């Protein structure tokens, strides 16, 4: 265990619950640290169920293409914790991360605080001490009581598509979940709203009116439409014909358009069309329909096979992957799936069932909350997927390769934690 891992392990023991939504603990710690959240550059605060990270990736790519320095806070990480904190364009280094985590640990003392709360405070402290032009904050869970929601007056808030997920914490209806996401809306702060189901949209609009947040809604104040060579964006300031997004999947057009609608609200910045085009074309976001062309795991498959990776884990993500898989008719599609025991496993897999030849299920390495491979295989079979448990990721790939003749395609999916394990194991 390196120094960073040792510190993170100590921080994880400060509160018995992994998730315990509240603002009181982080507000207390931030006050002891001098309220660094009040010293941030203009903030774009992004909530939602699916597409938050991709929207942030498009925002960062466009802002950096225009020459701006950007702080970015996202979660979870895939391989190294440092991925969560990007300071003025660079991932935080080990020495700086360790120092700032220990400073937060000392300021907190033995008071209860969750791992996410104290590491969010560390990110704010790092951002407050380094000049930048914009800070992009991705909500960890929900919105209203998420640790990132201590920023009193962001420049823009955004809500990407809301769907059913984290029901234990956010409520068991779409309206309840949308209400939690809408908790980031602030008086007088423009609220960019991606396409939503009617039930979610109604709640968000009501919360925006109550908060006094000006709405910027997809299909009303801004619009987008696919084109043969990309997509068209029409907003409050811009009319743009843009190339297709770098990130694969038709749903990424909506995420890119949401980012553009946010950028329109940053009136103090100069954002040339060329920078916006580069933002759409240059955005990178690992484990979102990412093709793994080489590495230790990829080498287990025959040379005419393809290996893909996606961190999607809820029914809406399953629908997105199913639409992508529908275009993959040139060869059989196999799944390797690992999921947390708190997720709607059958709901995620059901949309994929018509497209899948076979699946192998795995327990997510080093993840106590993982669903067992046998239980996940049973869930897959319940929705019509021919599934069997495997001992691990490599074993699953080897088994599929041994049982299939001719070219095929494998999609590893079901969890960002599984995606991180895949990237580590693949090298």
């Amino acid at each position: 265990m390196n120094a960073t891992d040792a510190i993170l392990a100590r921080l994880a023991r400060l509160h018995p619950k992994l998730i315990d939504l509240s603002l009181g603990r982080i507000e207390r710690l931030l006050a002891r640290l001098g309220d660094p959240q009040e010293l941030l550059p203009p903030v774009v605060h992004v909530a939602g169920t699916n597409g938050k990270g991709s929207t942030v990736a498009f925002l960062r790519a466009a802002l950096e293409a225009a020459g701006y320095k950007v702080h970015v806070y996202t979660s979870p990480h895939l391989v190294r914790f440092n991925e969560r904190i990007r300071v003025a364009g660079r991932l935080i280094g080990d020495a700086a991360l360790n120092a700032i985590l220990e400073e937060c640990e000392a300021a907190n003392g033995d008071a209860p605080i969750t791992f996410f709360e104290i590491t969010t405070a560390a990110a704010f402290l790092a951002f407050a001490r380094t000049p930048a032009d914009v800070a992009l904050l991705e909500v960890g869970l929900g919105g209203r009581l998420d640790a990132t929601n201590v920023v009193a007056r962001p420049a823009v808030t955004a809500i990407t598509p809301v769907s059913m997920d984290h029901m234990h914490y956010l409520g068991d209806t779409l309206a309840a979940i949308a209400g939690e996401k809408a908790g980031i809306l602030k008086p007088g702060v423009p609220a960019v709203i991606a396409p939503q189901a009617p039930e979610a949209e109604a709640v968000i609009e009501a919360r925006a009116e109550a908060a006094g947040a000006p709405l910027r809604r997809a299909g009303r104040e801004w619009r987008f439409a696919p084109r043969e060579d990309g997509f068209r964006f029409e907003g409050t300031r811009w009319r743009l014909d843009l190339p297709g997004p770098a990130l694969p999947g038709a749903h990424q057009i909506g995420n890119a358009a949401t980012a553009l609608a946010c950028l329109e609200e940053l009136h103090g910045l100069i954002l040339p069309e060329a920078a916006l085009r580069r933002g759409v074309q240059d955005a990178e976001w690992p484990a979102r329909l990412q093709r793994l062309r080489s590495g230790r795991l990829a080498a287990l498959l025959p040379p005419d096979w393809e290996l893909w990776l996606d961190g999607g884990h809820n029914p809406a993500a399953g629908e997105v992957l199913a639409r992508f898989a529908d275009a993959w008719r040139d060869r059989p599609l196999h799944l390797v799936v690992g999921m947390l025991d708190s997720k709607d496993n059958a709901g995620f897999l059901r949309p994929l069932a018509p497209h899948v030849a076979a699946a192998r299920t795995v327990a997510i390495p080093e993840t106590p909350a993982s669903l067992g491979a046998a239980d996940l295989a049973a869930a897959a079979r319940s929705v019509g997927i021919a599934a069997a448990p495997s001992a691990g990721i490599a074993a699953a790939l080897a088994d599929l390769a041994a049982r299939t003749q001719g070219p095929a395609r494998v999609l590893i999916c079901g969890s960002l934690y599984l995606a991180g394990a895949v990237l580590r194991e693949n090298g």
Side-chain angles (χ1 to χ4, degrees):
M1 180 181 291
N2 63 30
T4 302
D5 290 338
I7 298 167
L8 294 172
R10 290 201 305 271
L11 298 183
R13 294 193 291 267
L14 288 172
H15 194 62
K17 293 184 180 179
L18 181 64
I19 298 172
D20 184 7
L21 298 177
S22 169
L23 294 182
R25 293 180 297 270
I26 189 170
E27 288 173 339
R28 169 185 47 74
L29 174 56
L30 289 169
R32 292 182 181 179
L33 293 168
D35 285 317
Q37 78 280 8
E38 296 179 2
L39 304 175
L40 303 184
V43 167
V44 182
H45 194 195
V46 183
T49 306
N50 293 301
K52 298 191 300 290
S54 297
T55 299
V56 169
F58 286 118
L59 284 164
R60 178 170 75 86
L63 289 162
E64 291 183 345
Y68 293 108
K69 292 189 181 299
V70 186
H71 295 322
V72 186
Y73 182 57
T74 56
S75 61
H77 60 281
L78 295 175
V79 179
R80 298 172 64 225
F81 182 87
N82 310 55
E83 297 166 33
R84 298 185 182 216
I85 303 174
R86 186 176 290 270
V87 181
R90 295 179 179 275
L91 292 183
I92 191 167
D94 289 343
L97 176 61
N98 293 349
I100 218 153
L101 289 172
E102 289 179 332
E103 184 175 349
C104 290
E105 183 181 29
N108 185 74
D110 294 326
I113 194 163
T114 68
F115 179 85
F116 184 74
E117 289 163 354
I118 196 166
T119 52
T120 299
F124 289 156
L125 202 57
F127 294 162
R129 291 174 176 173
T130 303
D133 301 295
V134 181
L136 308 177
L137 305 182
E138 179 192 5
V139 166
L141 176 59
R144 180 176 64 93
L145 295 175
D146 186 76
T148 61
N149 203 30
V150 295
V151 176
R153 188 163 180 84
V156 189
T157 60
I159 302 178
T160 65
V162 174
S163 61
M164 301 299 288
D165 200 4
H166 299 293
M167 285 85 81
H168 294 306
Y169 304 105
L170 304 180
D172 57 4
T173 67
L174 199 59
I177 294 169
E180 291 297 315
K181 308 287 186 187
I184 71 166
L185 305 184
K186 303 292 190 302
V189 176
V192 172
I193 311 300
Q196 304 289 344
E199 185 181 356
E201 185 171 40
V203 171
I204 292 168
E205 289 181 347
R207 297 295 172 89
E209 183 177 3
L215 280 168
R216 304 287 185 266
R217 295 159 291 186
R220 303 196 195 185
E221 289 78 19
W222 58 277
R223 293 174 171 80
F224 66 94
R227 295 163 56 97
E228 189 172 336
D229 57 349
F231 70 102
R232 171 82 169 168
F233 174 83
E234 297 183 358
T236 56
R237 294 168 58 191
W238 300 326
R239 305 287 185 273
L240 303 169
D241 291 312
L242 295 163
L247 302 180
H251 62 291
Q252 294 295 358
I253 291 176
N255 294 331
T258 302
L260 291 167
C262 291
L263 293 169
E264 281 195 313
E265 301 301 327
L266 297 177
H267 296 281
L269 303 182
I270 298 172
L271 295 164
E273 182 175 339
L276 302 177
R277 296 177 71 85
R278 283 185 56 194
V280 170
Q281 291 180 296
D282 294 353
E284 296 178 351
W285 197 231
R288 278 70 176 184
L289 280 169
Q290 177 184 2
R291 185 170 175 188
L292 304 179
R293 298 178 184 274
S294 61
R296 290 190 292 271
L297 293 176
L300 297 173
L301 298 177
D304 56 353
W305 284 41
E306 293 180 5
L307 180 60
W308 292 74
L309 177 65
D310 192 87
H313 50 261
N314 55 42
E319 295 277 2
V320 166
L321 289 175
R323 289 196 293 272
F324 201 74
D326 190 49
W328 275 343
R329 299 184 182 185
D330 59 321
R331 59 183 72 189
L333 173 63
H334 303 303
L335 300 184
V336 175
V337 189
M339 301 190 73
L340 298 180
D341 59 12
S342 60
K343 298 300 178 182
D344 181 358
N345 305 292
F348 170 75
L349 292 166
R350 187 175 290 109
L352 287 160
H355 309 284
V356 175
R360 295 294 178 267
T361 57
V362 298
I364 304 170
E366 301 176 16
T367 306
S370 174
L371 187 65
D375 289 338
L376 185 53
R381 291 193 295 269
S382 77
V383 298
I385 296 175
S390 287
I393 301 161
L397 293 173
D399 185 37
L400 290 170
R403 294 171 180 268
T404 306
Q405 297 295 318
R409 186 176 280 113
V410 178
L411 172 63
I412 305 176
C413 59
S415 170
L416 283 169
Y417 297 98
L418 176 66
V422 168
L423 293 174
R424 286 191 297 272
E425 194 169 336
N426 193 52

